[in-house]
Amino acid sequence: MSARAWRDALVAVVAAFALMTAVAAAGLACAGATGLPGGAFPRVVAAVVVMAAGGSVEVTGGAGFLAEADASLSVLPLSVSLAGALAAGSLFLRPLHNRAVARSGELLTRAGPLVLLWLLALTGAALLARQTFGISTGDSPVADLAEVLDASPKVGFRAALPATLGFGLLWILGLLLIALLVSRRAPLPARLVRFHAAVRPAAFATVSLLLAYVVLGVVVGLVVAATRGHADRTFAVILLGLPNLVWLGLTLGFGGAWEGKVEGPFGLPVPRLLDEVLRGTDPSRVDVASLAERDSRAWWLVAVAAVLLLATGFLAAVRSPAGVRAWQHALHLGVALALATLMVCLLAGVQARFGLSLLGIGDVGGLGGAVELRPLLWRNVGLALLWGALAGFLGALLARPVHRRGLVEEPPEATEG
C-alpha cells in the first residue's frame, strides 16, 4: 500500500470524525447536554459519534442490591451519520475520479487503509464513550434506603467494543460500496463496467431523493425555529436526527407504515402530531391516515412523495444512456428505491427502555419509560418497489425529448445546388 493511499485515508477519516464530532456536539449543546454533571459532555458526544458510525452503546444502572436498572437503547443519530458519510465518501472518491476502469487491487489498496484507520478512530471514540450519573428518586423508598446504606441509584452508558467494531466495519464497507455505486466518475473493475448503465443512474437518483428530503427538512426546520419558538429544540433535532424524521416521512408518503409507542416521562424528539399518535401503552399504527385523523395537513406527505419520486425517475432516465428502455428504467429504479427503503427501515427505527426497580419489584419514582418505533418492513419495501417502478417508467417517458448520452444526431441532408 502506497504512502499516498495512507495519506488520503487519514485525511478522509480525520475529516469525517471531526465533522461528526462537531455536528454531535452542536446538537447536544442545543439539547442542553452541556450542563451534564461530572464533565460528561465530551463522553456523551463520543457516545453519539459511536452510535452514528454504527456502534453499540449499552445503558447500565442500579443501586447495589437495593435496585437494578432494566435499560436498553438502540437509535442511530442519522444527521451525524450523514455528515460523516458525505465527508468520508467524497474524500474516498476524489483520488479515483476521471477514469472509467480500475483494477480490483487498486480499489482494495485505497479502501484498506481507510477501513483500518476508521476502526482505529472508532475504537478511540468507544473507549471515551462511558460515563455514570447519579439519579434522584425523590421521596421514594429507594431514596430512604440509599441514604442509610450509602447506595445511591446510578445510571450510565458505555460502548460495547466488540459489537461497535463489528457494526462499524459493516458501516464503513457499506458506505464505500454506496459511494462507488453512486458516483458516475469513479472507476470500476473491468468486469463490472457493463453494469454501469443499470446501477449507477438509479443509485444516484435514489441517493439524491434521500438528500432532497433532508434539504427540505432543513428548510422546514428553519421555518419552524423562526416562527414557532423553542429554536434550540428544533436545531437539536436538525443536528441529531433530521434524516430519521424526513425519511420516515418518505415511507409514509408512498403508503408505508410504522408502529410504536411512547410511554412514561420520556419521549421522542418528534413533531407533536407524531408523539400524539404514539403516546400510550399499546403499540399504535403510524401511517398517513392515522396522522391525518389529527391533522389533515399530513396528506401533504403523499403529494411531496409523488412529486419528488417523479423527479427521481426523470433524473435517473436523464443520466442513463439513451438506449435504456422505459421498462428497464422502471426495474432499475424500483429495485434501487426498495433497497433504499430497506436501509431506511433498518436504520431509522428506535428502541429505548428504562426502568428502575426496588428489590426487583415495580417501578421507582415514575422513572420507567419506553420508546419504540419500528417499520412494517415488507409493506414499506413492497410499496417502494411499486412506486419506484412507476416513477422510473414515467420518468423515462418524460425524459424522451431530452438529449442524452448515446443519442447520435443525424447529419443534415445535403441540398442539391
Side-chain angles (χ1 to χ4, degrees):
M1 297 181 184
S2 67
R4 183 177 180 180
W6 283 100
R7 182 200 65 190
D8 293 340
L10 180 62
V11 170
V13 171
V14 170
F17 270 84
L19 187 56
M20 286 194 295
T21 301
V23 173
L28 290 169
C30 291
T34 53
L36 289 172
F41 182 69
R43 298 180 181 274
V44 175
V45 171
V48 172
V49 170
V50 167
M51 290 189 292
S56 175
V57 174
E58 300 174 345
V59 181
T60 60
F65 70 91
L66 294 178
E68 62 180 8
D70 176 22
S72 63
L73 177 66
S74 177
V75 60
L76 199 63
L78 286 178
S79 292
V80 183
S81 301
L82 183 60
L86 291 175
S90 60
L91 291 173
F92 168 69
L93 292 175
R94 186 175 180 181
L96 299 173
H97 281 167
N98 303 320
R99 285 183 296 155
V101 179
R103 298 187 308 274
S104 300
E106 181 184 358
L107 294 178
L108 291 176
T109 299
R110 285 285 178 180
L114 194 152
V115 171
L116 180 59
L117 293 175
W118 184 272
L119 294 180
L120 288 175
L122 188 57
T123 299
L127 294 176
L128 181 62
R130 56 184 62 217
Q131 182 72 24
T132 301
F133 304 96
I135 58 176
S136 173
T137 57
D139 297 326
S140 69
V142 170
D144 298 333
L145 288 173
E147 184 177 355
V148 174
L149 300 176
D150 192 24
S152 300
K154 296 179 180 179
V155 65
F157 62 87
R158 64 187 177 196
L161 189 57
T164 293
L165 294 180
F167 289 120
L169 177 61
L170 294 177
W171 193 97
I172 188 62
L173 290 177
L175 169 64
L176 298 183
L177 176 60
I178 292 172
L180 286 173
L181 290 177
V182 169
S183 174
R184 185 165 63 184
R185 294 189 294 168
L188 291 173
R191 63 180 180 274
L192 298 180
V193 171
R194 65 180 183 273
F195 298 109
H196 172 95
V199 175
R200 281 184 162 173
F204 175 83
T206 303
V207 171
S208 297
L209 171 68
L210 296 178
L211 294 178
Y213 263 87
V214 173
V215 172
L216 184 60
V218 170
V219 172
V220 172
L222 292 177
V223 172
V224 170
T227 60
R228 301 284 184 87
H230 303 293
D232 52 348
R233 299 180 189 176
T234 302
F235 282 115
V237 172
I238 292 175
L239 292 167
L240 294 175
L242 183 63
N244 302 67
L245 288 178
V246 295
W247 294 345
L248 167 69
L250 167 63
T251 63
L252 297 180
F254 60 64
W258 296 60
E259 62 181 9
K261 65 179 180 179
V262 175
E263 60 177 335
F266 310 116
L268 288 169
V270 298
R272 178 184 54 82
L273 176 61
L274 181 57
D275 185 79
E276 290 177 356
V277 173
L278 292 173
R279 182 68 60 176
T281 57
D282 298 323
S284 302
R285 176 71 60 87
V286 180
D287 54 22
V288 173
S290 64
L291 296 175
E293 288 178 359
R294 292 172 170 82
D295 191 335
S296 61
R297 290 175 295 182
W299 291 110
W300 278 103
L301 292 173
V302 178
V304 171
V307 171
L308 291 183
L309 282 170
L310 184 59
T312 302
F314 178 80
L315 178 60
V318 167
R319 290 179 65 92
S320 299
V324 180
R325 299 175 181 175
W327 69 266
Q328 293 173 310
H329 284 297
L331 176 62
H332 299 163
L333 190 59
V335 172
L337 186 61
L339 291 175
T341 301
L342 176 62
M343 179 193 71
V344 169
C345 289
L346 294 177
L347 298 181
V350 176
Q351 193 277 324
R353 183 179 71 257
F354 180 77
L356 186 65
S357 59
L358 173 63
L359 300 176
I361 304 174
D363 175 55
V364 175
L367 291 176
V371 177
E372 295 180 6
L373 185 62
R374 54 186 179 272
L376 299 182
L377 187 61
W378 296 115
R379 170 174 169 171
N380 294 351
V381 173
L383 286 171
L385 180 64
L386 293 176
W387 273 76
L390 179 60
F393 187 83
L394 295 178
L397 297 181
L398 291 174
R400 281 182 176 176
V402 180
H403 182 85
R404 289 175 283 158
R405 292 177 298 114
L407 283 176
V408 179
E409 295 181 354
E410 296 181 2
E413 295 181 1
T415 58
E416 297 180 1

